[in-house]
Amino acid sequence: MTYPYQVTDFAGYELAYKRSIEDPEGFWGDIAANFTWKRKWDKVLEWDFLRPEIKWFNGGKLNITENCLDRHLEHSGHLPAIIWESNNPEEHHRMLTYKELHFKVMQFANVLKNNGVKKGDRVCIYMGMIPELAIAVLACARIGAIHSVIFGGFSAQAIADRVHDARAEYIITSDGAYRGAKDIPLKSVIDDALVGDHTVKRVIVSTRTRTPVSMIKGRDVWWEDEIRKVETQGNPFCAAEEMDAEDVLFILYTSGSTGKPKGVVHTTAGYMVWTNYTFVNAFQYQPGMVHFCTADIGWITGHSYIVYGPLSAGGTTLMFEGIPTWPDAGRFWEIVEKYKVNILYTAPTAIRSLMGFGLDYLEGKDLSSLKVLGTVGEPINEEAWHWYNKHIGKEKCPIIDTWWQTETGGVLISNWAGVTPAKPTFATLPMPGVQPCLVDDQGNEIEGNGVTGNLCIKAPWPAIIRTTYGDHERCRQTYFSTYPGKYFTGDGCLRDEEGHYRITGRVDDVLNVSGHRIGTAEVENAINMHAGVIESAVVGYPHDIKGQGIYAFIIYSGTHGDIQLSKQDIVQTVSRIIGPIAKPDKIQFVPGLPKTRSGKIMRRILRKVAEGDFSNFGDTSTLLDPSLVEVIRDGRV
Ligand code: WT7
């Protein structure tokens, strides 16, 4: 496969960028023409950010799996599509060629059909990082069902909320998942999530850990049994459902500043074109390269840069079931050596954590296959950037710092490997079609260079969020109403003297913990479920490895008994309600929270205490009880 739209020098980038702004329809129409369509679009782009309503390639008909699978069969059918590395370094790896993956996707698509799944139905997928997860995702897309992958670290309650919000009638899961030294009993968690549920008709369970599970009669079936049924039916073929360009491809839940996660909706054609274009250009993927994105498919990074981007480009994508530090901190480097990985895409938090284990784990590892390094998920600090550059890239691999969001579908601001200049800690320049702007709190655009502001985007790119599932008004309010006529990212940003962008972090009540997005309100809701808790306020504080840690200030009534045990109980509660990723790192019991007379918590003060910065609390005169500030400060944990 070749990519006529791959740009390989800076002048080419500038040209592409210029044309994408002056003639977006011509630009994206030309790129889209490289894909397989069942019917060509009528109009490349129609949009109105106020409603918002955005349509890319409207009238076009296609199926994304024909673009990810079928079209590669003739020339690349024998090439590896997915290489899978087990959690257990002793277990044999698996490799699926395009031909094999195509076959397995059709087979499982037939399983879905046999189980009553139809176009437009929502299917929740709760699995570990095994090839069956990618197969399940693609099988949904094959028949036009909408997948909603739920990260394997979420709790039963979080699953129930998502299944319910998506009104999903089908679930695909596994008996369990391996992650480092842990076995996660996925099916059992699903069972807990579905207690009292009457809408889920079918749970399909694949075998991975052989953890004992209870199968509910009439509801639960084994993946392997269903495959056997399809085999006896004889016909292995499953036609790709004809989808409209704007038909929903998937829903992915993400946290925001309110308590309830939102179902971010992405549609078919724009998402396909964007993930492919950004994959090919930002990473400078060349046919034959092995691409290793270390994310989980439960997050957007895995959707876009393990599954859809690489496969639509006919590439080889490496899926890793385990974690970077098990059995030891050399695991990534062993994998790089074993599969001669060319592109490594990971999160700053992973880099910082591995950095902390020292250089011993790099000893004797051959990393010479690496050509491109990438980071995603949070701002990268100088130290981690230089360590990555020196010890992993041996100062010969460009590092791309890719800024984007679940809502953006793919990378929006990033340097292109070896094509556009890198600058440590800067995402640098926008992708073609992306028009970033900085605005002040009043919504005035801040022109010129050497300025900071709230990051907005002025016009739609093909993979922009279309709606929040079941609640379009929420989408409008969250992203399109703060600065009318613009998409608001929720991030703060610097544009330096050279016009390069550096993302400085969220400006809303959203935390970024180890590259995972967590809403403070969501954590507070979970904490407040604990019987002893009267009220709580959660803020982030700088954490050496996680980027941000979670600091909870809690008014606690259960004063009798052991304070440490009470805190552990609260941590357990959060783990039960959301998942281990949302556990507070620090808990401080306080007699009250610093509120203004109107009842608003002054989070600024709490953030300062959490950070340990007592230098200047600013104006506290509007507080109901200013003396609280000292009490809270002195009680810092
Ligand atoms: C938030 C989005 C994009 C996939 C993973 C996270 C932060 C993301 C960067 C980066 C600085 C970054 C932003 C953004 N973020 N990439 N390269 N530099 N910050 O997706 O969970 O939707 O979170 O992650 O704050 O808004 P997400």
Side-chain angles (χ1 to χ4, degrees):
M1 172 140 218
T2 58
Y3 318 112
Y5 44 86
Q6 188 173 47
V7 168
T8 52
D9 57 34
F10 189 64
Y13 161 79
E14 283 184 309
L15 213 65
Y17 189 80
K18 188 162 179 279
R19 178 161 183 236
S20 76
I21 304 305
E22 286 168 1
D23 176 21
E25 296 201 42
F27 183 81
W28 292 109
D30 284 355
I31 290 164
N34 292 282
F35 292 78
T36 299
W37 297 83
K38 291 174 187 282
R39 181 187 186 276
K40 203 187 163 195
W41 56 89
D42 299 316
K43 183 103 178 82
V44 173
L45 172 62
E46 292 151 274
W47 65 291
D48 174 359
F49 264 3
L50 293 175
R51 299 167 66 90
E53 189 170 19
I54 302 143
K55 289 184 178 147
W56 280 93
F57 310 110
N58 202 22
K61 307 261 189 206
L62 75 162
N63 186 290
I64 197 167
T65 70
E66 283 194 326
N67 286 278
C68 288
L69 301 169
D70 303 61
R71 70 167 171 154
H72 307 313
L73 294 181
E74 194 185 335
H75 296 293
S76 322
H78 60 291
L79 296 180
I82 296 179
I83 298 173
W84 175 80
E85 168 74 9
S86 165
N87 180 61
N88 174 0
E90 308 292 311
E91 185 180 349
H92 204 276
H93 72 277
R94 288 170 65 185
M95 193 273 280
L96 296 172
T97 63
Y98 271 94
K99 199 161 168 267
E100 289 162 340
L101 182 60
H102 177 250
F103 179 79
K104 284 187 181 289
V105 167
M106 291 201 302
Q107 220 182 19
F108 193 66
N110 283 329
V111 165
L112 293 176
K113 280 186 174 170
N114 279 347
N115 281 279
V117 183
K118 290 187 197 58
K119 179 174 179 172
D121 287 346
R122 276 81 51 220
V123 178
C124 286
I125 304 178
Y126 184 65
M127 297 173 90
M129 283 286 285
I130 54 176
E132 284 66 27
L133 166 54
I135 292 166
V137 161
L138 292 164
C140 287
R142 187 76 175 176
I143 64 170
I146 299 168
H147 56 78
S148 178
V149 184
I150 303 171
F151 173 60
F154 279 117
S155 71
Q157 182 63 54
I159 296 166
D161 292 345
R162 286 160 175 76
V163 169
H164 182 248
D165 188 84
R167 278 160 267 158
E169 293 175 331
Y170 304 93
I171 292 181
I172 306 169
T173 188
S174 296
D175 48 0
Y178 295 121
R179 263 178 81 78
K182 290 194 199 115
D183 284 8
I184 301 153
L186 296 178
K187 172 61 166 64
S188 156
V189 180
I190 289 288
D191 290 339
D192 289 348
L194 297 186
V195 169
D197 171 278
H198 298 293
T199 53
V200 172
K201 292 183 188 157
R202 192 68 84 233
V203 179
I204 303 177
V205 188
S206 86
T207 307
R208 173 61 186 139
T209 56
R210 308 216 166 251
T211 308
V213 299
S214 51
M215 299 293 277
I216 306 283
K217 197 185 294 163
R219 188 194 73 182
D220 302 350
V221 295
W222 288 103
W223 175 299
E224 295 77 11
D225 290 347
E226 295 303 297
I227 292 285
R228 248 170 266 129
K229 279 186 208 161
V230 166
E231 278 167 352
T232 57
Q233 285 164 356
N235 180 10
F237 194 75
C238 175
E241 189 74 34
E242 183 170 292
M243 305 300 287
D244 282 327
E246 283 297 339
D247 274 340
V248 177
L249 176 63
F250 66 86
I251 305 169
L252 186 59
Y253 284 84
T254 191
S255 300
S257 42
T258 62
K260 199 173 151 249
K262 303 176 280 275
V264 172
V265 170
H266 284 292
T267 58
T268 307
Y271 177 80
M272 172 186 75
V273 168
W274 190 255
T275 52
N276 179 286
Y277 183 84
T278 53
F279 177 67
V280 160
N281 281 299
F283 294 94
Q284 289 290 299
Y285 186 82
Q286 300 287 338
M289 278 183 161
V290 177
H291 175 76
F292 179 18
C293 166
T294 71
D296 190 291
I297 294 177
W299 308 109
I300 191 71
T301 309
H303 282 61
S304 302
Y305 300 109
I306 295 177
V307 182
Y308 289 112
L311 296 179
S312 68
T316 298
T317 184
L318 198 154
M319 250 181 109
F320 174 40
E321 185 185 35
I323 57 170
T325 51
W326 194 85
D328 64 43
R331 197 65 199 280
F332 276 2
W333 323 129
E334 270 157 29
I335 296 174
V336 168
E337 176 173 285
K338 182 168 173 188
Y339 300 105
K340 299 196 167 36
V341 168
N342 303 116
I343 307 176
L344 176 66
Y345 189 34
T346 195
T349 186
I351 299 168
R352 287 192 298 265
S353 144
L354 295 175
M355 211 166 97
F357 284 90
L359 296 174
D360 289 357
Y361 294 98
L362 282 158
E363 200 80 32
K365 306 277 163 47
D366 180 3
L367 306 184
S368 62
S369 57
L370 287 173
K371 291 203 164 69
V372 173
L373 303 177
T375 69
V376 60
E378 46 177 327
I380 185 163
N381 48 311
E382 290 262 353
E383 199 192 353
W385 194 97
H386 288 292
W387 188 87
Y388 200 30
N389 184 42
K390 183 164 176 211
H391 297 292
I392 308 306
K394 317 288 182 195
E395 288 172 343
K396 64 176 181 51
C397 300
I399 299 178
I400 60 171
D401 180 346
T402 64
W403 172 82
W404 55 297
Q405 309 179 297
T406 304
E407 294 85 346
T408 71
V411 175
L412 288 206
I413 304 183
S414 173
N415 53 313
W416 291 7
V419 173
T420 70
K423 193 183 280 186
T425 76
F426 279 73
T428 73
L429 298 172
M431 302 296 295
V434 175
Q435 298 184 54
C437 68
L438 304 183
V439 295
D440 64 22
D441 290 339
Q442 285 68 50
N444 304 308
E445 199 172 326
I446 306 166
E447 310 271 357
N449 288 340
V451 291
T452 58
N454 301 316
L455 178 62
C456 293
I457 315 286
K458 286 204 244 189
W461 60 97
I464 187 174
I465 179 175
R466 298 302 196 272
T467 190
T468 44
Y469 192 77
D471 190 351
H472 191 65
E473 173 57 14
R474 186 153 178 224
C475 174
R476 191 190 67 79
Q477 281 210 348
T478 312
Y479 307 105
F480 297 92
S481 74
T482 318
Y483 305 110
K486 296 184 177 76
Y487 168 83
F488 177 43
T489 64
D491 279 318
C493 184
L494 157 77
R495 184 168 52 223
D496 75 358
E497 294 299 342
E498 288 181 293
H500 289 197
Y501 292 87
R502 175 194 202 169
I503 289 29
T504 49
R506 304 287 305 195
V507 294
D508 52 10
D509 291 324
V510 172
L511 307 181
N512 192 324
V513 180
S514 301
H516 300 316
R517 209 159 128 178
I518 297 167
T520 52
E522 217 179 314
V523 182
E524 287 162 8
N525 286 349
I527 291 173
N528 297 347
M529 306 276 275
H530 188 282
V533 171
I534 295 172
E535 202 183 350
S536 66
V538 164
V539 298
Y541 71 97
H543 187 287
D544 284 347
I545 289 174
K546 299 180 176 188
Q548 272 188 308
I550 302 179
Y551 196 119
F553 296 88
I554 298 174
I555 309 176
Y556 190 69
S557 72
T559 41
H560 46 279
D562 186 305
I563 288 196
Q564 237 27 57
L565 279 179
S566 305
K567 289 184 179 177
Q568 274 173 29
D569 267 8
I570 293 170
V571 169
Q572 272 312 308
T573 307
V574 175
S575 202
R576 288 255 166 74
I577 304 295
I578 305 174
I581 53 169
K583 282 186 195 173
D585 297 278
K586 292 185 179 182
I587 292 178
Q588 179 181 347
F589 288 157
V590 291
L593 292 168
K595 287 186 179 175
T596 60
R597 281 183 200 89
S598 60
K600 207 169 143 11
I601 297 172
M602 247 194 216
R603 284 172 185 276
R604 172 170 59 80
I605 289 172
L606 297 178
R607 268 186 226 114
K608 288 217 149 204
V609 172
E611 280 168 29
D613 169 10
F614 303 155
S615 56
N616 177 14
F617 285 111
D619 181 12
T620 54
S621 63
T622 58
L623 283 179
L624 208 53
D625 177 5
S627 69
L628 252 180
V629 176
E630 275 156 42
V631 179
I632 294 175
R633 181 195 65 192
D634 295 343
R636 179 174 185 265
V637 292

